Amino acid sequence: MDAYTRDQTYAAPGTPIAVVLARDTGDVVTVMTWASEHRVPVVPRGAGTGLAGGATAVDGCVVLSLARMTAIREIAPQDQLAVVEPGVITADLDRAARVHGLMYAPDPSSHEISTIGGNLATNAGGLRCVKYGVTRDSALGLEVVLADGRIVRTGGRTVKGVTGYDLTGLFVGSEGTLGVITSATVRLRPAPAEPPSTVLATFGTLAAAGRAASLIMGAGLRPSLLELIDRATLRAIDEWRGIDLDTATAAVILAQTDGPECPAGELLRWCEEAGAEFAAASTDEAESAALLDVRRLAYPAAERLGNCLVEDVCVPRSRLPEMIGRIERAAERHGVRILTVAHAGDGNLHPLFVFDRGRAGPPPPVQAAADEVFSAAIELGGTLTGEHGVGVLKRPWLDGELEPDTLAVHRQIKHALDPAGLLNPGKAI
């Protein structure tokens, strides 16, 4: 059972009494009805790719895996939607949609291994969310099994719908604490007619790269992807895969445009305005794919260096350069190795705090640096998490972002739907 007790974090899991590999909604109903009757906690999970400890087992729980519920039940091209089970791999849904000239827009870096259910549970973002939004923006309706085994259905198949409260939006991002998602109706979008143009720009300072991203978004452009990779991350990838890194490069901006509303030439212009040392555009599909692969290698490259505390603070786009500076100063002040990548178009930064393997958790300097980064994000008008969720790792900082009355409302909602506190206890709220 051990393989089902943890996610991609260092968070130490508890010991479950059983693991259930659900194959349909009926299995989930059976588990929740039994668990409710016997007051046994249940930890739902997908592929276990989470980065906040949200799928870690607790002592005495039933781990409920949805990974075998893998059916794409329907693709409706005219309505531009799909109906899927939670175990469907994100990239598989996108590939199935492309057959019909459509695409599934959410694109987390783990898209080849993460599941739709896990993406819904954390409201995952990804590389394309700068233009197409996060997972919640593609969720039209859900089938959810509640803590007592009842089935509720939210939303529907229509583009618009305001009957009652937005329960779909409530369950998306709730990290399995309010119900278990067993089916989702998701929005598909027209796939771009032409291959995207990819822009690569290198900078001598991290601040200049952050300024380029801020200028691009401030100019009203809508790239389909706008990523930032710092020197420490580039060096880690280069040591692993050999990407011919120029040692003078402090940061890279990687951007794509898949429509005429965002000319590649404009992206280049703003990169050069911010002080790019090199900037070029390409429409070659193989070259573009290779560049995106470099970005997706950031986390595994960091993992090769040691254990990682992976954070995902988000700030207003205009404050991105300032937030980058705060991360750099935190690393220097505490003597901590931090690798930073960012969904720069969203102001969503991923500082990866690296520490020695074999430790139960981050050492005090890493904890102090992380605390400084979280505090800086909130001070700049941002948030503790843009897409990974709170899980167990960010709970200590909740009070810094949520006011007491706001936090009380969260807990009231949790109590209304799960009065015994059986669903994913100790997570999110």
Side-chain angles (χ1 to χ4, degrees), residues 270-350:
W270 288 113
C271 286
E272 290 164 353
E273 175 72 19
E277 297 181 342
F278 169 83
S282 172
T283 57
D284 182 88
E285 291 187 70
E287 191 171 47
S288 295
L291 289 171
L292 261 63
D293 284 344
V294 169
R295 168 60 182 86
R296 296 187 195 279
L297 287 171
Y299 180 61
E303 276 190 312
R304 295 178 68 252
L305 305 176
N307 281 343
C308 293
L309 172 62
V310 184
E311 298 309 339
D312 68 320
V313 295
C314 193
V315 296
R317 292 161 172 162
S318 61
R319 310 303 292 271
L320 180 71
E322 190 175 350
M323 187 65 214
I324 288 171
R326 299 286 284 269
I327 293 171
E328 288 185 308
R329 289 193 290 276
E332 293 170 2
R333 185 175 294 112
H334 299 284
V336 173
R337 188 173 191 175
I338 303 178
L339 284 64
T340 301
V341 292
H343 304 310
D346 302 315
N348 188 184
L349 300 104
H350 294 301

Side-chain angles (χ1 to χ4, degrees), residues 64-228:
L64 177 56
S65 170
L66 291 307
R68 294 191 180 185
M69 295 179 64
T70 59
I72 298 176
R73 296 179 183 172
E74 179 187 1
I75 291 182
Q78 279 193 309
D79 291 326
Q80 296 186 359
L81 61 83
V83 181
V84 298
E85 293 182 350
V88 172
I89 298 297
T90 311
D92 287 346
L93 174 57
D94 186 45
R95 281 188 282 265
R98 300 271 176 171
V99 174
H100 302 276
L102 301 169
M103 71 176 186
Y104 179 64
D107 180 36
S109 294
S110 59
H111 69 305
E112 289 287 0
I113 53 175
S114 64
T115 62
I116 296 295
N119 294 169
L120 289 163
T122 58
N123 192 23
L127 278 61
R128 289 196 293 247
C129 60
V130 62
K131 181 174 182 179
Y132 296 105
V134 293
T135 299
R136 183 179 283 121
D137 297 307
S138 290
L140 295 172
L142 303 173
E143 177 185 82
V144 182
V145 178
L146 299 180
D148 59 7
R150 288 179 295 157
I151 300 173
V152 297
R153 295 176 178 84
T154 73
R157 300 168 65 94
T158 56
V159 175
K160 298 162 69 177
V162 293
T163 304
Y165 297 127
D166 181 10
L167 296 183
T168 302
L170 177 64
F171 284 110
V172 175
S174 64
E175 301 185 49
T177 63
L178 302 180
V180 182
I181 296 170
T182 52
S183 175
T185 301
V186 296
R187 186 191 312 275
L188 303 178
R189 301 175 191 272
E194 302 292 336
S197 295
T198 303
V199 169
L200 175 71
T202 65
F203 296 84
T205 68
L206 195 53
R211 182 168 178 264
S214 186
L215 288 173
I216 287 169
M217 299 309 296
L221 297 173
R222 294 188 64 202
S224 56
L225 179 151
L226 183 57
E227 299 289 303
L228 179 151

Side-chain angles (χ1 to χ4, degrees), residues 2 15 19 42 47 66 78 94 111 114 126 154 192 225 232 246 253 304 340 355 384 390 401 421:
D2 185 67
T15 303
V19 173
V42 176
L66 291 307
Q78 279 193 309
D94 186 45
H111 69 305
S114 64
T154 73
L225 179 151
D246 184 341
I253 284 286
R304 295 178 68 252
T340 301
F355 58 97
L384 298 171
V390 173
E401 179 172 344

